[in-house]
Amino acid sequence: MRGNVNGSATARARRVRAALSAAFAACAVTAVLPGSASAEAGVVGARGAGVERVSAAADGTEADGNSAGASITHDGRRVVFSSSATNLTPDAATEGDSVFVRDQRTKQIQRMGNLAPIQPPVISGDGEYLGYAHQWITNVRIRQYQVGTGRTASLNCSAYSCDQPSLSADGRYTAHVVRSPRQPTFGQRIEVQDWNDGGSNQTVAALDHTQPSRPSISGDGRHVAYQDGKAKDVFVWDRTGGTTSGPIEGPAAQATLVQLSDDGGKVVYLSGSDTYVHDVRTGAAQSLPNVRGVAIDPTGRYLLYAPHDTTGPSLTLRDLRTGTEEIVADQPASAGTDAVSAGGRDVVFQSTADDIVPGDTNGKSDVFVRHFY
C-alpha cells in the first residue's frame, strides 16, 4: 500500500535509505539496458485509453517466459512483476522466476536479486523500494530491495517464517505475517516492521491458526487492515493507541479482505458474491453487487473489479464517486492488489491473450498496463 509522497515522506525515505545503506552491504544484481522500446499501441477508449506490454526487454523483445504478479507505483512510472523469462535482462536466470522492475518512462528494466519469489512482489508508492517472499532453507523470508542502488535487507524473522509483505508509501513500514513451521500451536502474528527504528517490530494481531490473514498497510504506516481467515472477519488496526476496530462487515456476515486504500480511508472486502467499500471514518459501506473487487487506487476513489458474469469485460475500473466505469480488459485477464495508480490513471494486469497489443506472438502470459488519459 502506498500514499502520496510529500515532503515529510521524502524525508522519511531518505532516512530509510540511509539506514539500509548503513546496515546492509549486500547488493542485488541489477541490469539496466540502454535505449527504449516503442510503446505498443492498443485499443482506444472513451477517454483516449492506450495499452502497452510491460513484460518486454528494453529493446522491445518479447519475453520468452510467463510474466505475472504486477503492481504499480502511485505515479505509474514503475511496474514490478515476476517472470520466468530468460531474455528480459542480460543477467536473467536460466530457470525459475525472477523479479523485475520496469521504468515506464525510460523503458529500462532491471532484475532485482537472484532469489525466486514465492508470492507476487510489491513496490512502495514512491517506487524506491520493493519486497517479496522467498524460500530460505526451511523457512520463508522477505527480502526488501532499494531499487536505485540494489542494496538489500531481510526482515528479522529469527527462526520463524515471514511472508505476505505490504509496504508503506516510502518503504519505511513493512506489514507481514510471522509463522513457526516448527511449532504448529504458534499460529501466526501480524507485525509491522519500522526500518527507521532499527527494524523493530510491533504486533498488530496474534491469531491461533495459520489460515490467510493478508495484511494491507496504509501509505503512512498508521493503519493495517487484515483478515481472520478462520473467523472470516476483517479488522482495521490503528497505530495511534494500538486500537483495533471490527469486524467491519458486522457480526452476522463473513468477509475476505481485498485491500486498504493508501490514504487509509477505504477498505475493500468481499462478502458472499458482492464487494463492499468500507469507509474507515464513518463506518458506512458502499456495496457493488455481483462483482469481485480486485484493487483500489491510493486515493480510495477508483475500484478495479472483475464481474462474475464471464460474458462481459474481465476487468473494469469504477469511479466510486460518480459511478462511471472504464473497461480495462475485454479479453481474459486478471490483476492483484496495488494494480491501480493514483487517480485511476494506469492499471496493470496479466493476460495470455495475444490480441491485446500488436505483434504478440510469444504464446506466454504477459503483463500489460492500460493508461487512461
Side-chain angles (χ1 to χ4, degrees):
M1 304 294 300
R2 305 181 294 271
N4 292 327
V5 180
N6 54 28
S8 61
T10 302
R12 287 197 301 271
R14 293 194 186 102
R15 293 196 297 272
V16 176
R17 287 192 285 271
L20 284 174
S21 298
F24 304 97
C27 290
V29 178
T30 60
V32 181
L33 300 182
S36 62
S38 298
E40 295 172 286
V43 179
V44 176
R47 282 163 49 191
V51 62
E52 63 179 307
R53 182 162 44 178
V54 175
S55 52
D59 62 0
T61 300
E62 293 185 288
D64 61 7
N66 292 313
S67 304
S71 65
I72 194 168
T73 55
H74 286 175
D75 60 4
R77 175 169 179 174
R78 284 175 171 161
V79 176
V80 63
F81 62 95
S82 62
S83 179
S84 62
T86 64
N87 63 341
L88 295 181
T89 61
D91 66 332
T94 56
E95 60 180 24
D97 287 346
S98 295
V99 171
F100 297 90
V101 174
R102 182 178 175 89
D103 188 317
Q104 289 296 95
R105 184 179 302 169
T106 66
K107 308 306 178 188
Q108 294 177 334
I109 186 169
Q110 61 187 114
R111 179 185 177 215
M112 302 303 300
N114 56 5
L115 300 168
I118 60 175
Q119 295 167 353
V122 292
I123 192 165
S124 60
D126 60 7
E128 295 293 334
Y129 296 91
L130 65 83
Y132 60 87
H134 65 91
Q135 193 69 40
W136 182 256
I137 310 178
T138 59
N139 293 338
V140 175
R141 296 292 174 88
I142 296 171
R143 184 63 59 90
Q144 186 165 334
Y145 291 88
Q146 188 178 34
V147 175
T149 66
R151 288 191 172 89
T152 67
S154 291
L155 291 185
N156 181 19
C157 301
S158 187
Y160 299 99
S161 284
C162 293
D163 61 4
Q164 301 182 43
S166 178
L167 302 184
S168 64
D170 59 6
R172 171 178 175 174
Y173 299 101
T174 304
H176 58 275
V177 175
V178 179
R179 300 188 180 92
S180 175
R182 299 180 183 85
Q183 303 176 46
T185 59
F186 178 85
Q188 61 184 313
R189 291 197 309 267
I190 301 167
E191 296 182 342
V192 173
Q193 188 161 56
D194 183 351
W195 291 107
N196 279 20
D197 190 23
S200 63
N201 288 301
Q202 186 172 0
T203 298
V204 174
L207 305 175
D208 62 358
H209 59 82
T210 58
Q211 296 185 39
S213 52
R214 305 175 61 183
S216 183
I217 195 167
S218 62
D220 59 4
R222 174 179 171 178
H223 295 96
V224 175
Y226 66 92
Q227 70 181 38
D228 183 329
K230 183 178 180 180
K232 295 182 172 56
D233 290 326
V234 174
F235 300 87
V236 178
W237 175 82
D238 188 337
R239 176 185 299 278
T240 306
T243 57
T244 300
S245 59
I248 63 173
E249 76 279 3
Q254 295 182 336
T256 301
L257 176 67
V258 175
Q259 187 177 3
L260 172 67
S261 63
D262 201 74
D263 64 0
K266 300 290 193 302
V267 181
V268 181
Y269 67 88
L270 311 178
S271 186
S273 61
D274 303 332
T275 293
Y276 294 84
V277 182
H278 171 86
D279 189 301
V280 173
R281 183 180 62 84
T282 66
Q286 180 179 354
S287 73
L288 287 83
N290 202 35
V291 301
R292 178 176 59 85
V294 175
I296 194 165
D297 90 301
T299 70
R301 175 169 175 172
Y302 294 90
L303 176 74
L304 180 67
Y305 74 80
H308 292 305
D309 180 4
T310 58
T311 62
S314 59
L315 290 171
T316 300
L317 187 68
R318 181 182 180 88
D319 185 331
L320 296 172
R321 186 179 302 172
T322 66
T324 57
E325 296 185 335
E326 298 279 4
I327 295 174
V328 175
D330 278 320
Q331 303 89 335
S334 60
T337 56
D338 296 323
V340 187
S341 69
R345 293 186 298 268
D346 314 277
V347 180
V348 290
F349 61 95
Q350 65 193 48
S351 178
T352 58
D354 61 5
D355 58 348
I356 295 178
V357 296
D360 188 344
T361 61
N362 63 357
K364 305 294 183 181
S365 169
D366 283 309
V367 171
F368 303 89
V369 60
R370 182 171 289 280
H371 308 288
F372 295 105
Y373 299 105

